[in-house]
């Protein structure tokens, strides 16, 4: 009983410390504040309610990230029911808020990465997380995550030079 | 690529040298851009109203969890109550006359038992292993007569299952010991077992394996013995020979996944997903894990991550009798 209580407290503490991290991650996928907020709030609810399922208190941090990632996945699943055309009409074919001109290429290239690859790049470079930790979130081994990162970096560069070539 | 005409060659080379220069420049610029993007990324934050909503959701989650917790507490109490009742029934049985009468009924369930074959544990700051390898033993209760052929078959089955469980455990121990060489890593390994079901007809032992490095995964093996024949049961043995059991059972599982997801949105299974169709559960196989529960119903089991996100853990589906009634062969 006390173990479960301790887990719940740990999860709550992490949620309240890190909500902006989850929010930023969600935002980078859904590109809008309301949906990103919903994802974090739903994720927080499920994490607290399911706190009994957490195997060990020490895993709480990656466990929450996984829940958030699942929320992001299911968001896209729901989105699928809205027709692609309707979405493009509303948001345009390009990611929203592309006002800053100088980083247009890289940002657009980032958008072409798969969900997992993008997660690796963002958590590694934007949140300064260790690759080991990211591997745990994705439940992959370290070498897989490393190859995701290298592949993504290569892609980002390739995309960058290709668009330069056009100019 | 188009073939370059000769007179274009010079232009071509010049162009590519320029391109390479640009790429170099691009890569240098890229790290600066990444920094810009990072700054921008980290500026994002939730609004006050959103944070307020977040706190409310945390509260709601806590309330709902408590409600769930109470439900579990009631179940636990009922089990305890049931155990007390069993005790009262057992007590009169200890009188000599009743015991004698009982021993003439060949309760085969009592033939098999589970003992610890090997205990392996290791603990330091970064590595932890608790490996308890079970072994099935066949023992004849005193004063009980059992068909020697069945007893022999049972003995052979037990040895086969034991060998498999040992092989799995040995492999995991070897993996764990190899992991000890790496100073950097963390690892956690658990092997344990549980008798998931034991009726007059069937006996199922579950070998539970858990391997973790930070976060972990559980996977299980199920061994079901038909106590009437002493043989280990495969999934197909439960059905009429040649009958297609895979389709009806798989369809029922998908139906249950849909219902469970609709009832409780925190539950998620990979079914009907258009986003990641390659993850979708399509069908069980002949090798899919199963056991027969105390009601004699077929239960299909999946390891963590097989048909649902990892956080769902190992998942089980009890197949309703109506689904398999027509093709059910019982034990052979």
């Amino acid at each position: 009983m006390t173990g479960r209580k301790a887990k719940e407290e740990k999860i709550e503490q992490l949620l309240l410390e890190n909500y902006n991290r989850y929010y930023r991650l969600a935002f980078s996928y859904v590109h809008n504040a309301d949906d990103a907020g919903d994802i974090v709030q739903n994720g927080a609810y499920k994490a607290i309610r399911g706190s009994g399922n957490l195997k060990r208190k020490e895993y709480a941090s990656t466990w929450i990230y996984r829940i958030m990632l699942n929320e992001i996945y299911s968001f896209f699943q729901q989105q699928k029911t809205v027709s692609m055309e309707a979405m493009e009409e509303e948001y345009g074919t390009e990611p929203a808020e592309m006002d800053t001109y100088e980083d247009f290429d890289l940002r657009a290239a980032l958008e072409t990465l798969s969900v997992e690859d993008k997660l690796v790049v963002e958590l590694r470079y934007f949140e300064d997380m260790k690759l080991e930790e990211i591997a745990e979130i994705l439940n992959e081994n370290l070498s897989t995550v490393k190859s995701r990162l290298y592949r993504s970096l290569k892609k980002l560069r390739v995309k960058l030079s290709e668009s330069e070539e056009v100019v | 690529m188009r073939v370059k005409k000769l007179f274009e060659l010079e232009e071509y080379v010049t162009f590519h040298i320029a391109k390479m220069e640009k790429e170099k420049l691009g890569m240098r610029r890229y790290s600066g851009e990444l920094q810009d993007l990072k700054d921008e990324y980290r500026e994002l934050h939730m609004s006050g109203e959103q944070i307020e909503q977040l706190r409310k959701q945390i509260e709601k989650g806590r309330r709902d969890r408590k409600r769930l917790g109470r439900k579990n507490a009631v179940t636990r109490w009922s089990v305890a109550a049931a155990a007390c009742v069993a005790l009262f029934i057992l007590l009169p049985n200890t009188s000599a006359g009743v015991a004698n009468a009982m021993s003439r009924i060949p309760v085969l369930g009592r033939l098999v038992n589970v003992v610890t074959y090997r205990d392996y544990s290791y603990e330091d700051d970064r590595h932890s292993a608790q490996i308890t390898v079970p072994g099935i033993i066949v023992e004849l209760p005193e004063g009980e007569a059992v068909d020697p052929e069945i007893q022999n078959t049972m003995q052979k089955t037990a040895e086969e299952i034991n060998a498999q469980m040992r092989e799995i455990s040995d492999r995991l121990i070897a993996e764990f010991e190899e992991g000890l060489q790496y100073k950097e890593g963390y690892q956690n390994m658990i092997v344990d077992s549980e008798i998931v079901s034991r009726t007059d007809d069937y006996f199922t032992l579950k070998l539970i394996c858990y391997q973790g490095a930070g976060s972990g995964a559980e996977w299980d093996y199920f061994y079901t013995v038909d106590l009437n024949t002493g043989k280990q049961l495969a999934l197909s043995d439960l059905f009429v020979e040649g009958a297609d059991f895979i389709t009806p059972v798989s369809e029922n599982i998908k139906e249950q996944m849909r219902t469970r997801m609709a009832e409780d949105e925190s539950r998620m299974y990979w079914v009907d997903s258009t986003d990641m169709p390659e993850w979708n559960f399509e069908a069980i196989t002949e090798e899919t894990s199963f056991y027969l529960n105390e009601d004699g119903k077929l239960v299909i089991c999946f390891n963590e991550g097989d048909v649902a996100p990892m956080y769902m853990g190992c998942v089980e589906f009890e197949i309703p009798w109506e689904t398999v009634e027509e093709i059910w062969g019982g034990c052979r």
Side-chain angles (χ1 to χ4, degrees):
Chain A
M1 275 313 225
T2 49
R4 203 195 291 170
K5 185 86 200 143
K7 281 182 207 161
E8 189 191 294
E9 274 167 14
K10 177 78 187 172
I11 292 168
E12 180 172 359
Q13 180 203 338
L14 284 170
L15 286 171
L16 293 175
E17 273 169 16
N18 296 327
Y19 54 78
N20 276 337
R21 285 170 176 251
Y22 313 133
Y23 178 76
R24 300 195 281 247
L25 185 70
F27 194 100
S28 78
Y29 288 102
V30 303
H31 305 292
N32 99 56
D34 287 346
D35 290 334
D38 283 349
I39 284 172
V40 178
Q41 287 149 14
N42 289 342
Y45 166 74
K46 287 176 191 177
I48 290 287
R49 195 185 58 175
S51 54
N53 299 336
L54 176 64
K55 284 204 172 95
R56 281 186 169 212
K57 213 173 77 185
E58 300 83 77
Y59 307 156
S61 166
T62 48
W63 188 74
I64 296 173
Y65 260 110
R66 283 193 196 175
I67 293 178
M68 295 296 173
L69 190 60
N70 272 322
E71 285 302 305
I72 294 171
Y73 281 137
S74 31
F75 173 84
F76 283 120
Q77 224 151 17
Q78 285 157 19
Q79 283 297 101
K80 280 278 146 73
T81 53
V82 183
S83 86
M84 216 44 207
E85 285 140 52
M87 264 176 69
E88 276 170 14
E89 234 165 73
E90 193 178 342
Y91 297 111
T93 44
E94 274 149 15
E97 289 181 56
M98 302 263 272
D99 46 353
T100 30
Y101 218 49
E102 68 270 19
D103 58 22
F104 173 88
D105 296 329
L106 186 60
R107 192 204 302 258
L110 200 58
E111 290 304 315
T112 66
L113 298 181
S114 75
V115 173
E116 291 85 1
D117 287 356
K118 191 164 132 179
L119 181 101
V120 175
V121 172
E122 291 183 340
L123 293 186
R124 177 66 195 93
Y125 290 110
F126 298 170
E127 297 288 4
D128 300 316
M129 266 165 86
K130 286 197 188 118
L131 283 178
E132 284 86 353
E133 231 175 312
I134 302 169
E136 281 162 20
I137 292 170
L138 287 174
N139 195 36
E140 291 177 341
N141 50 41
L142 190 56
S143 58
T144 313
V145 172
K146 273 183 187 160
S147 62
R148 279 191 189 285
L149 186 66
Y150 295 142
R151 192 176 60 215
S152 307
L153 287 182
K154 214 172 133 200
K155 258 191 207 165
L156 294 178
R157 272 174 210 168
V158 166
K159 290 270 150 59
L160 188 71
S161 46
E162 265 171 12
S163 55
E164 280 185 349
E165 194 183 308
V166 172
V167 174
Chain B
M1 197 185 285
R2 267 181 291 137
V3 182
K4 302 282 162 201
K5 286 178 196 154
L6 255 178
F7 64 86
E8 279 179 342
L9 192 61
E10 197 190 327
E11 202 185 341
Y12 176 76
V13 172
T14 323
F15 171 77
H16 275 271
I17 289 174
K19 187 183 155 196
M20 274 155 64
E21 289 292 311
K22 263 186 181 171
E23 265 177 14
K24 240 192 263 167
L25 216 79
M27 281 182 204
R28 217 175 299 133
R29 225 186 67 193
Y30 152 87
S31 53
E33 271 186 21
L34 200 63
Q35 184 61 44
D36 290 345
L37 269 187
K38 175 182 178 172
D39 294 342
E40 204 180 292
Y41 182 92
R42 295 188 68 126
E43 258 174 41
L44 279 168
H45 53 83
M46 284 172 87
S47 68
E49 197 188 323
Q50 281 175 322
I51 295 165
E52 197 45 49
Q53 275 300 319
L54 175 77
R55 287 181 190 280
K56 277 187 191 151
Q57 288 298 317
I58 289 177
E59 242 351 279
K60 188 170 164 244
R62 202 193 324 275
R63 268 200 320 272
D64 288 355
R65 190 187 69 67
K66 277 190 185 142
R67 226 178 47 210
L68 278 170
R70 263 205 299 280
K71 217 159 65 186
N72 286 341
V74 170
T75 323
R76 261 200 300 279
W77 186 82
S78 329
V79 171
C84 290
V85 173
L87 191 67
F88 281 116
I89 296 167
L90 279 175
L91 280 174
N93 281 357
T94 50
S95 76
V98 179
N100 250 337
M102 290 287 287
S103 69
R104 277 197 292 275
I105 306 164
V107 183
L108 288 150
R110 281 199 263 145
L111 254 183
V112 285
N113 234 322
V114 177
V115 293
T116 299
Y117 167 73
R118 180 180 179 189
D119 246 330
Y120 173 97
S121 66
Y122 181 97
E123 191 81 58
D124 68 20
D125 291 349
R126 288 166 170 271
H127 308 271
S128 149
Q130 282 121 39
I131 292 168
T132 310
V133 188
I136 298 177
I137 52 160
V138 180
E139 51 184 7
L140 201 60
E142 241 176 279
E144 228 178 75
V146 172
D147 185 340
E149 202 182 315
I150 297 179
Q151 205 190 326
N152 270 342
T153 317
M154 190 96 70
Q155 186 67 45
K156 243 177 74 196
T157 306
E159 277 161 21
E160 277 166 22
I161 296 174
N162 289 346
Q164 287 174 36
M165 294 193 297
R166 269 164 221 170
E167 197 195 308
I168 293 164
S169 311
D170 286 349
R171 202 179 58 230
L172 287 173
I173 292 172
E175 239 174 78
F176 180 80
E177 285 179 340
E178 202 196 318
L180 289 178
Q181 299 164 8
Y182 304 107
K183 298 272 179 295
E184 303 283 298
Y186 286 87
Q187 56 170 352
N188 183 14
M189 200 172 277
I190 298 169
V191 174
D192 207 345
S193 61
E194 187 192 337
I195 300 173
V196 284
S197 176
R198 179 183 216 155
T199 65
D200 288 349
D201 299 319
Y202 307 107
F203 167 87
T204 303
L205 181 69
K206 170 160 88 163
L207 186 72
I208 304 163
C209 303
Y210 175 82
Q211 186 173 28
S215 67
E218 180 188 324
W219 71 100
D220 306 320
Y221 300 90
F222 291 81
Y223 302 98
T224 298
V225 179
D226 180 342
L227 296 172
N228 295 309
T229 62
K231 287 185 185 150
Q232 188 179 348
L233 281 179
L235 190 51
S236 59
D237 293 334
L238 298 170
F239 300 96
V240 173
E241 214 170 337
D244 171 27
F245 60 90
I246 289 184
T247 313
V249 171
S250 307
E251 286 311 310
N252 179 266
I253 290 173
K254 284 184 220 169
E255 213 39 64
Q256 289 195 46
M257 287 175 165
R258 293 181 190 115
T259 317
R260 288 185 194 180
M261 286 201 286
E263 277 170 0
D264 180 349
E265 59 170 19
S266 72
R267 290 179 162 197
M268 186 166 167
Y269 301 92
W270 288 318
V271 65
D272 308 327
S273 165
T274 47
D275 202 34
M276 295 169 292
E278 68 276 15
W279 288 14
N280 276 352
F281 166 73
E282 295 297 343
I284 57 163
T285 69
E286 303 232 340
E287 275 74 47
T288 300
S289 293
F290 73 96
Y291 66 92
L292 292 150
N293 67 15
E294 315 267 316
D295 298 331
K297 284 196 188 131
L298 172 65
V299 181
I300 298 287
C301 317
F302 295 100
N303 288 331
E304 258 184 51
D306 276 1
V307 299
M310 300 295 286
Y311 76 87
M312 293 287 296
C314 292
V315 294
E316 298 190 348
F317 297 90
E318 185 187 285
I319 308 301
W321 180 240
E322 301 77 64
T323 307
V324 289
E325 197 173 14
E326 280 175 24
I327 48 169
W328 192 257
C331 47
R332 286 188 221 141

